[in-house]
Each structure stands twice: as structure tokens, then as C-alpha cells.
Amino acid sequence: MSLKGKTALITGGNSGLGFASAKLLSSHGAKVIIVARREDELKKAASEIGSNAIAIPADVSKVSDIKKLFSTVKKYTDSIDILFANAGVVDDNQPIGEITEESFDRFFSINVKGMLFTVQEALPFLHRGSSVILTSSVVARKGFPNGSVYAATKASNRSFARTWTTDLKDRGIRVNAISPGPILTEGFKAGVPDEEIKGFESSVPLGHVGEPRNIADAVLFLAGDESSFITGADIQVDGGLGQV
């Protein structure tokens, strides 16, 4: 697959799923614009990806930052072929009865508001044939304990893929979601004890947790012409966890 001549914008592109996807898309010829809050980490990630990468710092929980982001993007390109709206937080561990307003606002500001306004502000750059990819999660369809707020944000992300598919169908823009299962990102390894990771391994039908590259492979597929007749879908990259 060649993405030569195409431009991808990836939020949360400094680490984890976003970084793995940026590296893979770049290796197939795409120019990648990676976005994240932490400028030092972002510049380091861009340097590792190589000359095809552009780093633009922004906090997607702030609409003003998103607007500034796309003002900066305009200096580099007027066309985005692949938009991977991936930025999000996952460290939810509050059972009902202990959920705070601060936690609720944080999750919805980044995971839902940030995704919505990222896609909305990107609309002038998107054209017929552009691919929009949203990060949802296996938790959108599973009832894991102590994570109801996070799960609700990811259910919203999956819903966006459906409704924006119909909103943008006349423009020929495809919108799909990817729902990862347990993936060994830096944040996952830092926040989940080893015994819990082993528990995930035993509950995943394939017998192990995933790697960021597994998600990047799905992003690459949805970015290219090979998926040109797929829109409104939820690609579940979860080792079978959400399917049985």
C-alpha cells in the first residue's frame, strides 16, 4: 500500500496507538502531522518518525487550542486525507457512588468534546475520499466494573462514527471507529498491575493482550483505498474479548 502524496493528522500522536500509527503511515509514504499536549514528547516522537513528521502541540480539551491547531495546519497543507482522532484519557477507576464532577468533566472534555471539535474544525481540509478514523474501545460494549464514565465516552465515540457517516456521505468522506481491546501501551503498562494484565490475557480468546502495532495496522487499512467501501463501521481489534 502506498500513501505517497497523502497527509495524515493524528491526535495523541506522541505515544501509544497514535505514535505507532504515525510511524506506520509515514513508512508507507504519508506526511504525518502529530498532535499532543506535551511539546517535548511530541518533538521527540516527530524526530523518531523522521522527515515526514510535523509536530504541532495542542490540548484537544480546549476548543481554542483546536482552532489554533488548524490555523497552524494551514501553513503546511490545505488538504487532509487521513484524520485519526485518537487523543484520549483512560485512567478511570471510579465505581458509581464515587464518581466526581471533576473526573466526569475531564473525561468528556478530552474524549468526547475533543474528538467532536477536532473533526469539526478539520472539515474544511477534508475532501471526497478522505478517511476519518475515531478511537473507541471494547469497553463501549462490555460492562467492566469501575469505569462507567470512560466507557460512556467511548460509546459516544462509536456513535459519532455512525452519525457522521450520514452527515458526510454527500461529501464522500468515510468515517469509521476502531475499538481496541487491552493493548500494551506505555500508559496501560504503567497503570495496570502485572496480575491484572495476566487476567486480561486469560479472558482474551487469543490468549494475549495486543500491541500498539495491531491498532496501527487497522488504521493503515482504513486509511487506504483497500477500505474504500467501508464506512460507519467499528473495527474491533480486541483479540475477541468483546465478541464472545
Side-chain angles (χ1 to χ4, degrees), residues 14 27 41 46 54 76 82 89 100 104 119 130 152 171 176 182 205 212-213 217 221 234-235:
N14 63 317
S27 74
E41 292 181 15
I54 298 166
Y76 296 100
I82 304 144
V89 287
T100 65
F104 179 93
V119 175
S130 289
R171 291 184 55 184
N176 292 289
R213 173 62 190 255
D217 286 337
F221 171 66
D234 181 14
I235 307 299

Side-chain angles (χ1 to χ4, degrees), residues 96-153:
I96 187 66
E98 299 179 14
I99 298 167
T100 65
E101 182 179 10
E102 179 183 29
S103 173
F104 179 93
D105 288 345
R106 176 171 175 258
F107 274 91
F108 272 84
S109 288
I110 297 172
N111 293 5
V112 180
K113 185 176 78 172
M115 180 174 287
L116 189 160
F117 285 99
T118 294
V119 175
Q120 181 163 286
E121 292 299 320
L123 288 178
F125 295 84
L126 302 177
H127 55 82
R128 184 167 294 276
S130 289
S131 175
V132 176
I133 304 163
L134 314 176
T135 300
S136 183
S137 171
V138 66
V139 303
R141 68 186 58 81
K142 298 287 283 186
F144 296 125
N146 304 333
S148 58
V149 175
Y150 174 65
T153 66

Side-chain angles (χ1 to χ4, degrees), residues 133-192:
I133 304 163
L134 314 176
T135 300
S136 183
S137 171
V138 66
V139 303
R141 68 186 58 81
K142 298 287 283 186
F144 296 125
N146 304 333
S148 58
V149 175
Y150 174 65
T153 66
K154 291 302 176 180
S156 296
N157 298 159
R158 198 281 173 259
S159 179
F160 284 156
R162 289 192 178 100
T163 52
W164 294 343
T165 289
T166 56
D167 284 345
L168 300 174
K169 63 183 177 62
D170 291 339
R171 291 184 55 184
I173 298 169
R174 297 186 297 115
V175 186
N176 292 289
I178 291 177
S179 286
I183 304 292
L184 279 175
T185 61
E186 297 89 338
F188 184 79
K189 288 185 284 188
V192 178

Side-chain angles (χ1 to χ4, degrees), residues 6-13 18 22 25 30-36 54 56 60 66 69-70 72-74 77 79-86 118-119 122 125-126 131-133 219:
K6 294 193 174 185
T7 298
L9 187 145
I10 300 172
T11 62
L25 296 184
K31 176 168 66 177
V32 294
I33 300 170
I34 57 172
V35 181
I54 298 166
I56 304 178
V60 299
I66 297 173
L69 162 65
F70 285 100
T72 305
V73 167
K74 199 168 182 64
T77 184
S79 177
I80 293 174
D81 304 283
I82 304 144
L83 174 61
F84 183 23
N86 165 71
T118 294
V119 175
F125 295 84
L126 302 177
S131 175
V132 176
I133 304 163
V219 171

